[in-house]
Every structure is written in structure tokens, then in C-alpha cells.
Amino acid sequence: MLGKLARQHDPNVLVGFDHADDAGVYQIAPEQALVQTVDFFTPIVDDPFTFGQIAATNALSDVYAMGGKPVTALALVCFPDKADLEMLERILAGGLSKMIEAGCTVIGGHSIRDEETKFGYSVTGVVNPKKVLTNAGAKPGDALILTKALGTGVISTAIKKGSAEPIWIDAAVRSMTTLNKQAAEILERQNLRVHAMTDVTGFGLIGHAREMSLASDVSLRLSTSKIDLLPGAVECVRAGYIPGGLNNNRDFAECVVAYEEPISDEIKRLLFDPQTAGGLLISLASKDAEKLLAALQSARIPASQIGEVVPRTKRLIAVIA
Ligand code: CO
Ligand code: CO
């Protein structure tokens, strides 16, 4: 919708909304740019403190996905008139706990009365303009690494229906409350040839992979056997706990996918599962992939190499078993 409006021409915009990237990047000094993003949503778990943690983890993720460091955050709150204010306090406390972990200072916010609770943050980070990691720049020959398992969308849907097993909930919550901070720091410390990066969120793995391939003018090959799935994810698909967003994602993006080997319908669906606070999708020189994987895995980050970048062909994404 923003794209339909008149453009503002500002040479300091390094990454704007027309790139379909994770966050906006705006240069304020020769060596410094702001990374800005906003995200908020309705509760996806019953516990208010945990919901606050998830909302914060999710909002911070786009700053890490651009190679930035979060600095400040503003809370966005929609809360019902009649609801218990203690609940709101728990949500904010959960969010704050993750902001503290991120070293990001909450400096204000805004709340309105609304029939349905919604919570999230606008986050501002900083980045050296030369170190911005956009979704453009992936090169043929690169390895693709994903740092979290898929399945938070279908498991959240099962949670809402009261049908998720405790171990599924625990694993999904652990994933959704794990900051991408540590993975991003490892990436920076290792001094690797990272060419492109994004995080896997609402459009699902294929949706965000599609954006990376379009922005980079390459094709991607994804190997489903290498993609980690959260415990219960396949069971949730089989039982019909399909979020509306999953079907929308599939309707929109499946046309860019060529299934080159038989793939089960459960797995196909999970490739489009909308993720909350999902992992980083990293495209880097294949010679550096093992070094990065070893470092991520030794930090107990469930990272795996899920595919590779190839020269652009007619289909943007090939999926193999
Ligand atoms: Co993102
Ligand atoms: Co976002």
C-alpha cells in the first residue's frame, strides 16, 4: 500500500520499504545508520509474561536480521477496558526481560483501549552502513543456513484450540523466546563472508527465501531433510491446525517453487508456516559454512545448512528431499 503513494526522495535512506527487507536503514553519520522496525500482534500463548517475551523477541529480530544492534524500543499496547491490569503488567515485564537481555532500553510507549489485547514494540538499532546485511547479495555457490526449527505457526494454532501437548508448547516457546542476538554475534565475531541475511517470520520459509532470491537475482535449492522441525509440528498439520496465514502464504508463493522430488504434504505446508520470532536465514560463502555451523551448534543454536544458492533459473526455488 505504501508503494502506491508518492515517494519521498531522501538520499539517506539506505534500505526503504520498496526492498521488502526486514527493517528500514537510515544513515545519520558517515559511519552510522539507524535500523528501524515495528511489530505487534495478539496473544499466541496463555501466559502473559511469556507472551511479552515472545513479542519482544520477535520485534528485536528484524534489527539483528539487518546486521544491527538494538538500542531503544517503544512499547505498543492495545488493551481491553475491562481486562485485569495485572495481566498487562505481566506482559510488559516479560517484554522488558527480553529487552534487558538484548541490551535495548525501553524509553516509552503508547497504549489505547481495544477489544482485543495486542502488544509489541517499535525498535531502533544502529549499524555501520558498510555492514548492513540485506536480503540482496546472495551469490551462486553460497550455502544457506537457518538458525531455528520451523513450526511455531501450526503449534500456536493448536495452543489456541487447547490441543497442543506440553512438550510441543515448551519447545515452541523456547524457540520463540530465544533472541537472534547470539547467532548474530557469532556471525559478526567469526568474520565470515556473509552475503545476505533475513529472518524467517510471517511469510514462512518459502516466502522469505523468495524475497531473498528476487532481491539477489538468484535461485535457491532447499533440502527438506535438512530443515529442522519443532516437535509436534507434523502432528499439528496432520490434525488440521493450520493457521490462515499458512494457506495465504502458500497461495501466494507456491508458484515460484519446483518440487523436484516427492515431498509429503505435511512438509510442503510447513515450508509456508508463518513463524513468530523465527530464525535467521543466512547466505554465505560455502567455504565458511562449516565454520559458522560449528560455532552456532557449539552455542546450542539449532542451526543447519538447509540448501544452497544457484544461478537464476525460471523457478526461484527448487525443493528436494
Ligand atoms: Co524480518
Ligand atoms: Co518485521
Side-chain angles (χ1 to χ4, degrees):
M1 291 305 288
L2 286 172
K4 293 183 178 174
L5 303 176
R7 292 301 159 94
Q8 294 170 282
H9 293 283
D10 183 339
N12 294 317
V13 176
L14 303 183
V15 180
F17 55 80
D18 43 344
H19 294 250
D21 217 315
D22 300 295
V25 182
Y26 189 89
Q27 186 151 6
I28 53 166
E31 301 280 292
Q32 193 139 69
L34 300 177
V35 184
Q36 297 189 292
T37 180
V38 59
D39 215 332
F40 65 112
F41 46 73
T42 55
I44 50 173
V45 290
D46 295 329
D47 178 56
F49 188 87
T50 307
F51 170 52
Q53 289 186 309
I54 293 169
T57 304
N58 182 71
L60 287 159
S61 181
D62 278 324
V63 174
Y64 296 121
M66 299 306 289
K69 286 183 184 25
V71 179
T72 60
L74 300 167
L76 298 158
V77 177
C78 302
F79 203 67
D81 223 346
K82 295 175 204 81
D84 184 359
L85 276 176
E86 216 170 286
M87 186 113 93
L88 179 55
E89 206 181 312
R90 296 297 295 155
I91 294 173
L92 287 163
L96 181 63
S97 73
K98 285 291 151 185
M99 289 294 168
I100 290 169
E101 189 183 328
C104 181
T105 306
V106 179
I107 53 169
H110 184 69
S111 60
I112 58 167
R113 296 287 181 197
D114 194 353
E115 274 164 37
E116 196 177 16
T117 300
K118 301 176 189 79
F119 180 65
Y121 292 92
S122 166
V123 182
T124 298
V126 291
V127 68
N128 182 320
K130 290 180 202 80
K131 293 188 174 170
V132 174
L133 289 169
T134 68
N135 56 16
K139 291 180 173 45
D142 278 4
L144 289 171
I145 287 174
L146 179 63
T147 67
K148 285 188 187 183
L150 298 181
T152 64
V154 293
I155 292 168
S156 300
T157 304
I159 292 172
K160 277 182 195 153
K161 300 266 160 70
S163 305
E165 301 280 342
I167 55 160
W168 304 350
I169 300 173
D170 285 352
V173 164
R174 210 177 311 122
S175 179
M176 292 187 286
T177 56
T178 299
L179 294 175
N180 282 327
K181 176 178 194 259
Q182 201 187 8
E185 285 172 354
I186 287 170
L187 203 67
E188 200 188 342
R189 232 182 293 134
Q190 298 276 323
N191 208 6
L192 306 162
R193 287 162 286 176
V194 178
H195 297 141
M197 183 156 81
T198 190
D199 60 344
V200 176
T201 52
F203 298 133
L205 174 62
I206 296 283
H208 294 280
R210 174 186 168 275
E211 285 176 346
M212 184 180 276
S213 63
L214 281 173
S216 304
D217 196 30
V218 293
S219 287
L220 309 178
R221 284 177 75 79
L222 304 180
S223 175
T224 56
S225 60
K226 304 282 173 57
I227 298 169
D228 279 326
L229 302 174
L230 285 168
V234 171
E235 287 86 341
C236 286
V237 174
R238 276 191 199 133
Y241 300 119
I242 308 295
L246 186 154
N247 291 329
N248 294 341
N249 289 343
R250 193 173 180 181
D251 288 345
F252 177 71
E254 200 170 34
C255 56
V256 306
V257 179
Y259 298 106
E260 294 189 351
E261 286 169 6
I263 308 291
S264 73
D265 190 57
E266 288 91 349
I267 301 296
K268 282 185 186 171
R269 286 179 193 246
L270 287 168
L271 297 177
F272 297 93
D273 186 40
Q275 302 300 285
T276 299
L280 296 172
L281 178 64
I282 304 159
S283 181
L284 82 169
S286 62
K287 280 188 180 144
D288 291 349
E290 258 179 52
K291 191 178 164 195
L292 176 61
L293 273 179
L296 290 170
Q297 285 162 357
S298 72
R300 299 169 143 267
I301 293 167
S304 52
Q305 182 178 338
I306 63 161
E308 57 184 350
V309 180
V310 295
R312 175 74 185 262
T313 56
K314 211 172 107 225
R315 292 296 179 103
L316 287 177
I317 299 170
V319 174
I320 59 170

